[in-house]
Amino acid sequence: VIAFRFITSGVGVILLISMELKKKKFVAHKSLKTLLNLHGFWTFLLCFTTFIESSIQYYTHLTLKEPSDLLMTPSHCLVRMAPQFFAISGSVTSMLVMSFERCEASRNLSTYESSSSKSVNKFVALHVSFLSLGVFLDAVKYDFPTKVAHCSVGSVIGQNPQTALVGSFFLFSLFTIYFSSKLLRRNEYLHDSEEYLNMSLTERYQLCGNIRVLRLLLPIVVSHTSITMAGSVGHAYFVFGGYKKEYYPILEDTINMVYLQGIAMPLIFLYRYRNKRVMESQIVTMNKWRRTHLCA
C-alpha cells in the first residue's frame, strides 16, 4: 500500500506540473481561473504531502530498530496531517464553488465577462469559508487515546465531527455533479434555441464560453467526485460496520485515495487540450489548402 501511494502520488505531482504549464494558455473568466488555480494548488498539495508521507513511512520501516520506534504522539500526527486537512477540504470545496461561479456566469450572459474583481473576491471568500469549516471539523477534536504507530487524517476521539465532515463532502460531491450537468444542459439548450439568434455578440460569446468550460469541467468533476465518494462510502462502512478502531489507519491508507484526482484531472485536461490543438491545426491546414487552390 505504501509503495502504491508513493508511486501514484509521485506521478500525480509530475502530471499536475505538466498541466499547469499548459493551463497558462487556457482562456476563461478571472473568477474561474482563480478557482481553477486554487483547486490545482490543493490537489498538488495533497499529492505532494502524500508522496512525502509515504516516503517517511517507507524510510521509517526500513530503518527502525525497535517496534516502539514507530510510535508517535497525537500532537505529532496533527502537525503531519494538517496539510492534508487543508488539501482535502480545499479540493472538494473549490469544485463546489466553481459550480456556483458557472451558475452566475450562465445567469448574467450580457454582463458577466466585464464584471469587476469583486466577483473574484466573492467566490474566493466563499471558498475560504467552506475550507475553514472543513479544517475546523477535521482538527477540532483530532486526538488518540494512546501513541499511534501510524498517523491518519481521521482520529479515534474526533470521529464524530469527522464523520459529519465526510457526509458533507459526500453531499457536496453529489450536488456538484448534478449542478454542473444541469448547467451544461441548460446552456446547450439555449444555444440550440431560437433565442440564441436574438442574442448580442457578447451574450453569444459568454454562452459558448460556458459550454466550452462546462464540457471541460464536467469529466473532471465526475472523476473527482467518484474518487471522493469512494472514500466517503468506505469511511461510512468502517464507522457503521463495527470494526475495531485500531484498524482504522490501515483502512484509511487503503480507501483514502482522494489524491488520485492529481492523476485524473491532468489527464482529462491534457487530453482535451490536445484535441483542441489538433482541431486548430486541422483548421489552419484546411485554410492554407483553400488559399493555395483559390490562388491557383
Side-chain angles (χ1 to χ4, degrees):
V1 172
I2 292 175
F4 175 81
R5 293 172 70 86
F6 174 80
I7 294 171
T8 51
S9 58
V11 171
V13 168
I14 295 171
L15 286 174
L16 284 166
I17 292 173
S18 300
M19 185 190 74
E20 287 301 317
L21 294 175
K22 296 288 187 182
K23 203 172 70 176
K24 292 179 180 179
K25 300 179 181 179
F26 180 66
V27 180
H29 190 269
K30 188 176 180 181
S31 297
L32 179 62
K33 291 198 73 172
T34 301
L35 291 171
L36 276 171
N37 288 336
L38 286 170
H39 182 71
F41 170 75
W42 297 126
T43 307
F44 178 83
L45 179 63
L46 185 57
C47 284
F48 185 72
T49 53
T50 302
F51 180 79
I52 297 298
E53 185 67 23
S54 301
S55 303
I56 293 173
Q57 291 174 11
Y58 193 72
Y59 177 78
T60 303
H61 281 80
L62 286 177
T63 58
L64 66 87
K65 296 179 181 179
E66 298 289 339
S68 59
D69 293 343
L70 290 173
L71 296 178
M72 292 169 286
T73 62
S75 57
H76 185 179
C77 285
L78 179 61
V79 173
R80 283 176 61 165
M81 293 294 105
Q84 294 205 21
F85 294 166
F86 282 92
I88 294 173
S89 297
S91 62
V92 174
T93 57
S94 59
M95 293 297 291
L96 177 67
V97 177
M98 267 191 273
S99 66
F100 294 158
E101 188 273 342
R102 284 295 90 191
C103 178
E104 183 160 332
S106 300
R107 288 191 305 173
N108 303 306
L109 292 175
S110 59
T111 59
Y112 190 73
E113 192 61 32
S114 59
S115 59
S116 65
S117 58
K118 289 183 179 179
S119 61
V120 181
N121 299 333
K122 176 177 66 177
F123 290 116
V124 170
L126 183 61
H127 170 58
V128 171
S129 300
F130 284 138
L131 169 66
S132 302
L133 180 60
V135 173
F136 174 77
L137 289 174
D138 232 336
V140 63
K141 287 188 176 182
Y142 186 90
D143 200 2
F144 297 93
T146 60
K147 289 184 176 182
V148 292
H150 180 74
C151 294
S152 57
V153 175
S155 70
V156 174
I157 295 176
Q159 188 179 82
N160 289 336
Q162 288 167 353
T163 300
L165 179 64
V166 169
S168 300
F169 283 169
F170 182 83
L171 294 176
F172 284 175
S173 300
L174 288 178
F175 178 80
T176 303
I177 285 185
Y178 169 76
F179 205 43
S180 299
S181 302
K182 186 176 181 180
L183 282 174
L184 179 58
R185 289 196 302 269
R186 176 185 171 187
N187 281 274
E188 288 177 335
Y189 175 79
L190 188 59
H191 182 273
D192 296 335
S193 67
E194 294 183 359
E195 188 178 346
Y196 179 77
L197 301 175
N198 299 322
M199 289 183 177
S200 64
L201 289 176
T202 302
E203 291 173 329
R204 291 184 182 184
Y205 175 81
Q206 183 60 51
L207 180 62
C208 292
N210 289 344
I211 295 172
R212 175 178 61 86
V213 169
L214 286 167
R215 283 176 177 172
L216 171 66
L217 289 181
L218 190 58
I220 295 175
V221 170
V222 171
S223 64
H224 176 280
T225 302
S226 301
I227 295 169
T228 304
M229 287 172 61
S232 301
V233 171
H235 180 85
Y237 181 75
F238 176 82
V239 170
F240 300 109
Y243 290 92
K244 293 183 179 179
K245 293 181 178 181
E246 55 264 31
Y247 295 149
Y248 181 75
I250 300 174
L251 173 93
E252 182 174 298
D253 267 0
T254 305
I255 66 166
N256 184 17
M257 299 295 176
V258 181
Y259 72 91
L260 288 179
Q261 62 188 283
I263 296 177
M265 180 174 68
L267 288 178
I268 293 171
F269 186 90
L270 292 172
Y271 175 76
R272 291 297 181 96
Y273 178 82
R274 177 182 174 277
N275 283 353
K276 181 183 176 184
R277 297 292 293 178
V278 169
M279 188 178 297
E280 290 175 349
S281 177
Q282 290 174 346
I283 292 172
V284 170
T285 303
M286 187 178 295
N287 289 336
K288 287 182 179 179
W289 182 88
R290 286 177 177 174
R291 285 197 299 268
T292 301
H293 282 71
L294 285 174
C295 291

